[in-house]
């Protein structure tokens, strides 16, 4: 069985930054990823909040992360991650290409946004459909946009969007928002917010960019078109942790629990980026996690020499 000092699961910003720091620390490092590098940023048309670059594309930034990791002679394996288990102190990673042993592991498998599954959703991702208000709000100055969801995240992000857009519809399938009472009270005072309750998005339409959505009232079945320039989806986020089983401690929602050094409940296994329990999921925070996780892994391995 092939053995490595460090195996990094995932090649998003967290995983690739971890690889850069690990290789600079001269760790024998392997990154496993089943698809293209970059993770969620590959579906982002344009980024304006990566420090040092006023404008960059998601694909361009993802590729630059990969090239940087390659520059330090990081090894890569394209395979699906099937599982992670312990054999004594040995960490065994099971993949579609076979099993590998690691002295330390960084879990950086990220998360994915829940989708509505309606017509037009996939077509307009990056062209009006967004999953991040902080990332994309500035593209909708003085426009009308829609937010889909009714929890704290949806309502809070809708309020954030009112700093840029002139009108924000909040579309929720129930007759009241699920957000906390204080959040709902603040939203009720915001004149730019327009609740659309008992409703679901049936379709997202437009030519090259989003132009309108079709909203169906779940009580009477009436379908109404709403002219919008953007649709922000906040119907949940899922961490990619199924392959872990019950190996690591998780918090509510399935997010991995870590300490201040990003160590999980199992010594020698670390977590970085969107997969862990963290208050902010951005490229910059994922990259910072990757750096810290790599150095924590380095110090862990040093204590075992």
């Amino acid at each position: 069985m092939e053995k490595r000092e460090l195996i990094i699961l995932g090649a998003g910003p967290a995983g690739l930054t971890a690889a850069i720091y690990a290789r600079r620390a001269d760790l024998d490092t392997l990154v496993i990823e089943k698809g293209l590098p970059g993770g969620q940023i590959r579906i982002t048309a344009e980024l304006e909040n990566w420090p040092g670059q006023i404008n960059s594309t998601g694909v361009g930034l993802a590729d630059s992360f990969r090239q940087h990791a390659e520059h330090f002679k990081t090894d890569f394996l394209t395979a699906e991650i099937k599982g992670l288990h312990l054999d004594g102190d040995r960490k065994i990673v099971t993949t579609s290409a076979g099993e590998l042993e690691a002295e330390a592991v960084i879990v950086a498998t990220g998360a994915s946004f829940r989708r509505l599954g309606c017509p037009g959703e996939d077509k307009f991702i990056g062209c009006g459909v967004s999953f991040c208000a902080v990332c994309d709000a500035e593209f909708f100055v003085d426009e009308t946009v829609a937010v889909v969801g009714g929890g704290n995240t949806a309502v809070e992000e809708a309020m954030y969007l009112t700093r840029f857009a002139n009108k924000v519809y909040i579309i929720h399938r129930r007759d009241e928002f699920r957000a906390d009472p204080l959040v709902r009270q603040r939203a009720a005072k915001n004149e730019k917010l327009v609740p659309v309750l008992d409703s679901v998005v049936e379709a997202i339409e437009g030519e090259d960019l989003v132009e309108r959505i079709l909203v169906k009232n779940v009580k009477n079945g009436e379908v109404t078109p709403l002219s919008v320039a953007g649709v922000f989806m906040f119907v949940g986020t899922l961490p990619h942790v199924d392959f872990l089983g019950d190996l690591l401690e998780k918090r509510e929602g399935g997010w991995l629990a870590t300490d201040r050094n990003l160590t999980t409940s199992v010594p020698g296994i670390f977590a970085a980026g969107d997969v862990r329990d963290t208050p902010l999921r951005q490229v910059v925070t994922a990259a910072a996690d990757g750096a810290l996780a790599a150095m924590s892994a380095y110090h862990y391995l040093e204590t075992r020499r």
Side-chain angles (χ1 to χ4, degrees), residues 6-23 29-33 36-41 62 65-70 74-76 81 105-111 262 270-275 282-295 297:
L6 175 65
I7 293 180
I8 299 170
L9 308 181
L16 291 173
T17 303
I20 293 167
Y21 275 73
R23 287 298 301 134
T29 303
L30 175 68
V31 176
I32 304 175
E33 176 61 73
L36 293 171
Q40 290 289 337
I41 63 172
F65 272 108
R66 168 72 184 238
Q67 291 163 9
H68 199 161
E70 289 175 338
T74 302
D75 291 332
F76 289 87
I81 301 163
V105 172
I106 295 175
V107 180
T109 45
L262 303 191
F270 307 85
D274 290 359
V275 74
Q282 296 282 288
V283 179
V284 68
T285 55
D289 273 8
L292 177 55
M295 297 315 297

Side-chain angles (χ1 to χ4, degrees), residues 202-244:
E202 286 281 283
I204 302 170
E205 299 180 339
E207 293 299 326
D208 297 326
L209 301 172
V210 170
E211 296 175 11
R212 75 191 70 83
I213 56 176
L214 301 183
V215 179
K216 179 181 178 180
N217 185 289
V218 297
K219 290 188 173 179
N220 60 28
E222 181 179 347
V223 177
T224 303
L226 295 177
S227 296
V228 297
V231 186
F232 289 79
M233 309 293 190
F234 299 111
V235 293
T237 310
L238 299 172
H240 295 158
V241 293
D242 288 348
F243 69 95
L244 292 170

Side-chain angles (χ1 to χ4, degrees), residues 240-257:
H240 295 158
V241 293
D242 288 348
F243 69 95
L244 292 170
D246 296 326
L247 177 64
L248 304 178
E249 178 188 349
K250 302 182 183 74
R251 302 239 167 91
E252 183 179 358
W255 309 104
L256 296 184

Side-chain angles (χ1 to χ4, degrees), residues 42-45 115 120-131 210:
R42 294 196 75 90
I43 66 172
T44 303
R115 303 290 181 87
E121 182 179 29
D122 290 343
K123 174 183 176 181
F124 291 109
I125 289 176
C127 297
V129 169
S130 175
F131 301 90
V210 170

Side-chain angles (χ1 to χ4, degrees), residues 150-188:
N152 282 340
T153 298
V155 178
E156 289 171 350
E157 296 294 271
M159 286 191 287
Y160 178 81
L161 283 164
T162 61
R163 300 183 180 186
F164 305 87
N166 59 28
K167 181 189 291 186
V168 179
Y169 294 109
I170 312 182
I171 301 165
H172 185 47
R173 65 182 304 117
R174 297 184 175 86
D175 58 2
E176 66 177 1
F177 297 125
R178 294 182 293 104
D180 295 337
L182 182 59
V183 176
R184 296 201 304 267
Q185 291 170 16
R186 290 173 178 169

